[in-house]
Amino acid sequence: MRSTMAKRAGALTALLVAGLTAGVLPAQAATPAGVASLGAADFTKSGTTSTIPTLAPCAVEGPTSAQSGLVTKPGVSFGGGTSSCTTTVTDPASHVTTTTSKATGTNFELSALVSLGGPRVRIRNYEVTCTATQTQTNANWTFGGLSGITGLPSPMPANYTKPLTKSGGTVLANAVFNIQNLPGDGSMALTMLRIDFMPDSGITGSVTVGSTACSPTP
């Protein structure tokens, strides 16, 4: 599935945020200039905590690239991948730049719900990207080989929540797709997927898959 996000007229699905009105000085942006990562996990099940720190994080200020191999903890695994956060000079005389922040991952699997009667969630490959110019930012994401979650809409609305249940309908976790944060200063942040465990699962915590953010360039 591919989803891009947009903030403009029409039926486009790209998330495109224009910069501030000319002549208005922006406040210090809370969103980074450009970052990306494969994901992270921090949850506790039956007294066992599975923690995976942010995988392969990059930033345009450095490190500008990173990679990760297979990382496995009880109930969750990331197959590895790469990230890059690059800056391109488009006008050397005026020091005008653009940035591209991207993370590409493979073989994510969440198995923590299986013993509770819930689904095994797999994503074969995924990618998140955030690009920025002086006047706008644009973010998009795509994934392939999803199993364990069905019935997703296309295009995907922002912050779309899909309950993950066991037979009988008990909600064990919520899978939240296309999570967007638009502070209003022209910047944006995007998380492709976050899985939040619900009280009936007996698990506390969450897992994220594919995150990026960027701000208009100086």
Side-chain angles (χ1 to χ4, degrees), residues 7-207:
K7 190 178 181 182
R8 54 180 173 178
L12 300 177
T13 55
L15 176 58
L16 178 66
V17 178
L20 298 175
T21 303
V24 178
L25 294 177
Q28 182 67 34
T31 308
V35 295
S37 66
L38 298 176
D42 188 6
F43 63 90
T44 300
K45 177 183 178 183
S46 302
T48 298
T49 298
S50 296
T51 300
I52 298 177
T54 303
L55 291 172
C58 70
V60 295
E61 298 94 342
T64 57
S65 64
Q67 62 181 3
S68 172
L70 172 66
V71 179
T72 299
K73 295 291 183 179
V76 64
S77 66
F78 289 81
T82 61
S83 67
S84 64
C85 295
T86 59
T87 301
T88 301
V89 178
T90 57
D91 183 350
S94 299
H95 305 286
V96 177
T97 62
T98 62
T99 64
T100 300
S101 303
K102 178 170 66 175
T104 303
T106 61
N107 297 325
F108 167 79
E109 180 173 324
L110 179 77
S111 58
L113 299 176
V114 175
S115 64
L116 305 174
R120 183 185 303 273
V121 178
R122 291 188 174 114
I123 302 174
R124 185 178 63 248
N125 54 70
Y126 59 95
E127 183 174 279
V128 292
T129 306
C130 196
T131 59
T133 67
Q134 285 186 318
T135 57
Q136 68 183 34
T137 52
N138 183 39
N140 62 78
W141 58 269
T142 182
F143 64 70
L146 172 67
S147 61
I149 303 176
T150 59
L152 296 177
S154 181
M156 187 83 70
N159 307 307
Y160 179 79
T161 299
K162 179 73 173 182
L164 304 182
T165 65
K166 63 181 180 181
S167 60
T170 300
V171 178
L172 302 175
N174 282 330
V176 188
F177 290 87
N178 197 16
I179 301 170
Q180 305 174 18
N181 182 24
L182 309 176
D185 57 4
S187 67
M188 65 174 62
L190 164 70
T191 296
M192 186 188 79
L193 170 64
R194 188 183 70 232
I195 298 173
D196 299 321
F197 296 103
M198 295 291 103
D200 282 339
S201 70
I203 307 174
T204 58
S206 63
V207 178

